[in-house]
Amino acid sequence: MSVAEATEAAARVAAPTGTARLTSPGSPDLATHLATFGPLPVRAGPAVLLDELRASGLEGRGGAAFPAWRKLAALPARERARGRRAVIVGNAAEGEPQSFKDATLLRVAPHLVIDGLLTVAAAVDAHSVHLYAQSSVLESVSRALAERRDARSIQLREAADSFISGEASAVVSALAGRSPVPQDRTMRLTESGLGGRPTLLNNVETLAHIALISRFGAAWFRSIGTPSDPGTRLVTVGSDGKSSTVLEIAGGSRLGDVLRFAGIDPGSLSAVLVGGYHGAWLPASALEARLDRQDLAVFGAAPGAGILMGLDARHCPLTVAAAIATYLAGESAGRCGPCVNGLPAMAAVLGRLARGDQDPALAAEVRRLAGLVTGRGSCNHPDGTARFVLSTLTVFAEDVAAHQAGRCRKDHS
Amino acid sequence: MTRDEPRTLLHIDWTRCDGRGLCTEILPELLTRDDWGFPLAPRHGSDVPVPDRLVDAAVEAVALCPRLALSLLQR
Amino acid sequence: MNEALWALGRSTGVVALALITVSVLLGIVNRSGRSPAGLPRFSVALVHRNVSLLATVFLGVHLLSLLGDSYAQLRLVDFVVPFLGAAKPFWLGLGTVAVDLLIAVVVTGLLRRRVGVRVFRAVHWLTYLLWPVALAHSIGNGTDAGQAWFVIFALACVASVGAAVLWRLTPGFVEFRSVRMEQRP
């Protein structure tokens, strides 16, 4: 089948309209998948895929928001010339407790993720293809893999159950049969990763978008969303009073709308944590902001892996933040000195502030410790934790002042 | 990157570093120690730019690190 | 001539033991991360290395000077394979064991970057075997073992290394230990 014929075959199935794209199949089986999206177009060659991804503006949905085309382009041609074909990894390790959009995607549309893996693998003539996912979705993924003959090359591996399990070097370490913790890196994984081969890690949602872009094109992808956040994205929305739901929204949707759509009244919140525990807070006054890079940058936040956690206005934000900081300190892999020592120290001082210790030096000490851990680890766990803590002090400055004056009347439980 | 920026970087492998303090003695212009004794480069994290005049000292620090936690990178 | 070689062999043996002892002490100071008497840590590390190399040189002279000795009747194989000697095979064998261990420790020390931290550290632990074996060899094989000066020297070695090892085992041994959390390897 030629490229034109393949595109025609795919075009026989109409592209999804509206915001339900990844989540449009009513059932996760292959027949529904094919009926919804049509067959996977015949491989169009790496240059075509690269151009299409570049035109689409798709950014990674695992948190780092690295342009998908650039990662693909980063695979060094000279490595292939030396016969070192690349390793492709689909990453669904979702250690973040506030996120389960990747698990949801693998339950709702596993075949899109598989299509994405196969598309990228074909484009780079991959050496091997891996899918790294938590135990809770292994069964649905295995069932999907068993349904098709073209997916036999995909090796499924159970992800470790820890906050940092999805960090790229931790995933590669786990796939290599070693401890699932981040490694020191002086080379990019796209230069030397699993077994020393160039390794391309993509979040599973990114792969699913790639599968759709290769079918329906960049223009279709951009027909929804904003220029700075084109397409749709999966978000996990919850609050400290309400359990989370996964939604597929148009890129650049307004935060308030997303919350309402998830059944949360923005008026009941004092702030929303955007980007999960490594993210930053947006105060209630800013909920008209769009969930895109531009609008969120002011607050030091980013859409990241699409995690929104509302904070009930009755709850003391410092108490909530101190609990999260303590959790994050406990989730350090324990290998890097500044992280091992700095995160518990930072969480402890924030905890003292939250519990009503009126020592006026506490806030400055939290800031000092945040500065001390930033950039000083083999992964970004200390950086993300410091970002979250600093955002807490900035956005909840009034609460900090109330605590230091001994007059915080919010719920501290 | 401007032309004057050092091309040599001192890379700290935090998974190996035990904060023994030798590097901070050899490179006092670049490194101090944090609250727990680990090397601290003000305004830099794991990759510390090394000015030309300190490259020899940095080479020595790399050789003497008891945990082999240091390496030099060229950008 | 034979007498001169014999004297050389004895004295270089004692000096090598003294240097190994000093190197062990410096190694323990090194491991503590502390700067003794305000000396820079890197200079302690360098002296530790150089003393070890010097000990190796003295040991080489010790072996060569005794090679032609009519009493010890050493063969080249005795430098490498222990417990084959003609005279006092056990005590001589301990010396051979010490030589083998020292070579392993010194070579992995010099090739640290090549062999990696794991191998380097594992082999370096053998020093705690090397030192008592060398001491036992000097007492069991040494002509001077009964002399008062040697007894005092040996006791001084034992006392200093013993004290250093006890210090090594105390909780406050490593600098910053009291303010640090446990780090995983």
Side-chain angles (χ1 to χ4, degrees), chain A residues 192-245:
Chain A
S192 175
L194 187 59
R197 290 177 180 279
T199 300
L200 193 61
L201 235 97
N202 276 305
N203 170 265
V204 288
E205 184 193 336
T206 314
L207 290 166
H209 283 298
I210 289 175
L212 290 184
I213 290 167
S214 68
R215 281 182 169 87
F216 308 117
W220 166 83
F221 181 77
R222 299 187 69 92
S223 67
I224 206 165
T226 58
S228 68
D229 192 30
T232 62
R233 59 167 64 240
L234 297 176
V235 291
T236 316
V237 192
S239 72
D240 56 341
K242 188 179 178 304
S243 62
S244 302
T245 47

Side-chain angles (χ1 to χ4, degrees), chain B:
Chain B
M1 186 177 118
T2 67
R3 231 176 348 146
D4 299 335
E5 255 182 90
R7 291 187 56 241
T8 305
L9 297 173
L10 180 69
H11 175 75
I12 305 170
D13 178 348
W14 296 106
T15 66
R16 286 187 177 175
C17 177
D18 192 35
R20 298 281 182 82
L22 278 79
C23 57
T24 56
E25 287 175 337
I26 297 171
L27 293 164
E29 298 94 333
L30 292 186
L31 303 170
T32 60
R33 299 180 88 176
D34 68 12
D35 298 16
W36 312 280
F38 297 97
L40 173 64
R43 294 184 306 282
H44 295 287
S46 307
D47 294 308
V48 187
V50 184
D52 286 347
R53 65 191 163 83
L54 293 178
V55 166
D56 288 347
V59 168
E60 198 150 319
V62 169
L64 278 176
C65 174
R67 300 294 290 255
L68 304 182
L70 298 175
S71 54
L72 290 178
L73 309 175
Q74 299 296 325
R75 60 178 167 193

Side-chain angles (χ1 to χ4, degrees), chain A:
Chain A
M1 192 157 43
S2 73
V3 175
E5 283 166 341
T7 316
E8 198 185 316
R12 267 179 240 138
V13 176
T17 52
T19 54
R21 289 180 169 182
L22 306 177
T23 52
S24 57
S27 158
D29 60 273
L30 184 61
T32 309
H33 168 76
L34 291 173
T36 313
F37 303 114
L40 184 60
V42 171
R43 46 189 296 182
V48 176
L49 179 64
L50 203 66
D51 287 346
E52 208 63 24
L53 286 181
R54 189 172 190 165
S56 76
L58 172 66
E59 289 179 349
R61 298 291 157 84
F66 200 70
W69 71 269
R70 197 171 284 166
K71 216 181 225 184
L72 198 60
L75 285 184
R78 61 188 147 80
E79 291 292 333
R80 272 194 66 190
R82 282 171 51 211
R84 298 189 70 77
R85 285 149 66 213
V87 172
I88 304 299
V89 182
N91 186 7
E94 235 174 352
E96 163 85 45
Q98 296 297 328
S99 180
F100 51 91
K101 57 112 177 157
D102 291 334
T104 303
L105 174 65
L106 284 173
R107 275 200 209 91
V108 173
H111 287 289
L112 267 188
V113 176
I114 294 169
D115 281 355
L117 274 171
L118 295 177
T119 301
V120 175
V124 303
D125 186 21
H127 168 264
S128 57
V129 189
H130 303 260
L131 182 53
Y132 190 64
Q134 286 161 317
S135 57
S136 62
V137 294
L138 287 181
E139 203 190 317
S140 67
V141 175
S142 313
R143 204 180 304 126
L145 287 172
E147 275 184 293
R148 49 201 285 180
R149 321 184 74 174
D150 59 349
R152 285 183 186 152
S153 61
I154 297 177
Q155 300 172 46
L156 187 57
R157 182 70 75 92
E158 180 177 346
D161 188 22
S162 66
F163 186 84
I164 50 154
S165 63
E167 196 273 340
S169 67
V171 173
V172 170
S173 180
L175 289 174
R178 293 192 294 269
S179 178
V181 294
Q183 308 293 316
D184 178 66
R185 266 189 296 161
T186 53
M187 267 199 270
R188 289 181 215 279
L189 288 175
T190 46
E191 287 169 40
S192 175
L194 187 59
R197 290 177 180 279
T199 300
L200 193 61
L201 235 97
N202 276 305
N203 170 265
V204 288
E205 184 193 336
T206 314
L207 290 166
H209 283 298
I210 289 175
L212 290 184
I213 290 167
S214 68
R215 281 182 169 87
F216 308 117
W220 166 83
F221 181 77
R222 299 187 69 92
S223 67
I224 206 165
T226 58
S228 68
D229 192 30
T232 62
R233 59 167 64 240
L234 297 176
V235 291
T236 316
V237 192
S239 72
D240 56 341
K242 188 179 178 304
S243 62
S244 302
T245 47
V246 173
L247 305 171
E248 183 171 13
I249 60 163
S253 295
R254 295 190 189 280
L255 281 177
D257 294 341
V258 177
L259 291 164
R260 272 185 287 272
F261 198 40
I264 297 168
D265 172 19
S268 68
L269 306 176
S270 60
V272 176
L273 181 62
V274 179
Y277 288 172
H278 277 176
W281 297 99
L282 262 74
S285 59
L287 296 187
E288 281 307 294
R290 292 181 182 278
L291 191 67
D292 65 16
R293 191 196 291 273
Q294 275 173 327
D295 273 22
L296 296 179
V298 188
F299 301 92
I307 305 159
L308 301 181
M309 189 196 88
L311 178 66
D312 191 310
R314 293 164 299 183
H315 296 169
C316 167
L318 300 186
T319 304
V320 172
I324 293 173
T326 304
Y327 164 79
L328 290 174
E331 288 296 313
S332 167
R335 304 184 79 204
C336 305
C339 180
V340 169
N341 294 285
L343 299 198
M346 188 166 67
V349 181
L350 187 61
R352 281 173 60 193
L353 193 58
R355 282 191 302 275
D357 187 331
Q358 292 181 35
D359 182 343
L362 291 181
E365 176 65 359
V366 172
R367 287 183 196 277
R368 185 186 75 84
L369 289 167
L372 210 49
V373 299
T374 301
R376 298 176 67 223
S378 67
C379 75
N380 69 2
H381 186 56
D383 309 42
T385 306
R387 180 188 312 128
F388 165 76
V389 166
L390 287 175
S391 165
T392 301
L393 294 185
T394 305
V395 170
F396 301 112
E398 282 181 23
D399 295 87
V400 172
H403 272 252
Q404 296 197 316
R407 51 176 172 76
C408 176
R409 297 290 168 260
K410 292 180 178 173
D411 182 359
H412 286 77
S413 57

